[in-house]
Amino acid sequence: MRKPGQVFLVGAGPGDPELLTLKAVRMLGLAHAVVYDRLVSDEVLALAPPLARMIPVGKSPRSHPVPQEKINEILVGLAHEGLTVVRLKGGDPCIFGRGSEEAAALYAAGVPVEIVPGITAAQGAAASTGVPLTHRGLARSVRYVTGHCRDDLPLDLDWAGLADPDTTLVVYMGVANIAEVAARLIEQGMPASLPAMAVARATTSQERRLVTRLDRVAADLAGSNLSGPTLFVIGQVVSLYHSCPAEVLALLAMPPACEAAYA
Ligand SMILES: C[S@@+](CC[C@H](N)C(=O)[O-])C[C@H]1O[C@@H](n2cnc3c(N)ncnc32)[C@H](O)[C@@H]1O
């Protein structure tokens, strides 16, 4: 009888290949098949064995994404062939990554699954910009929220609960709705002058930042050259960006690209 296969749901981190875990690298080296998202870099994909089957399932500007059910089917099919499968996702597979949905489908099909965590984009951006997500006296908690709802439905977030100036908010997938996010937070009492930062392509050589304030973040973003996957850090911790000397920022970030609009 054929040996059953296994699927490893592996976090590829935010972009810089050096942020992969040792376990992610080891699993990639063992893979017979790699099923990967669009944001996973070529350097990371190059760690798979030359003969591994490489299967892209991410969305690109010109093609539709492979539907989730189809991805689940591909993973189950490969595992049933007895293969060691790496399902590679940007950041951490279980932070806005649908990793848990894929794991549930695999468990239901009797396929063994192991999750290998990755550095999520928030942590990558925090490290590369030198802006911590928590800091004594500035933020006693941090919340990761999505700025995009399933099927483009209106945003349905707990605005009153989110409007806490002592909490750092990290908004994933928020580019299209950042004006609404900012307006709703201000409506609920967040100071309009609260520092806010957008970071695009964090931890890669194309990283770009915009440092501004909550009431200007949408307009400043629209007038900026940020592109690609972008997240927002909103909170008092962003004020620490300016306490970081330029030469340190240059070392922290691969290109010291910064547009500072915060005043
Ligand atoms: C579908 S979510 C996936 C998040 C991923 N699982 C993680 O843990 O980082 C995609 C969103 O993550 C954020 N993102 C991912 N990589 C990023 C990067 N390198 N720089 C900035 N934001 C990033 C953006 O907000 C993007 O729209």
Side-chain angles (χ1 to χ4, degrees), residues 14-15 39 90-97 119-122 125 171-174 199-204 229-231:
L39 292 178
D92 181 87
C94 295
I95 295 187
F96 303 127
I119 292 183
T120 190
V171 184
Y172 286 70
M173 297 171 281
V199 189
R201 302 180 197 265
T203 80
T204 74
T230 299
L231 58 69

Side-chain angles (χ1 to χ4, degrees), residues 87-102:
R87 169 68 173 116
L88 204 50
K89 288 172 164 285
D92 181 87
C94 295
I95 295 187
F96 303 127
R98 305 183 80 166
S100 44
E101 291 175 39
E102 291 175 15

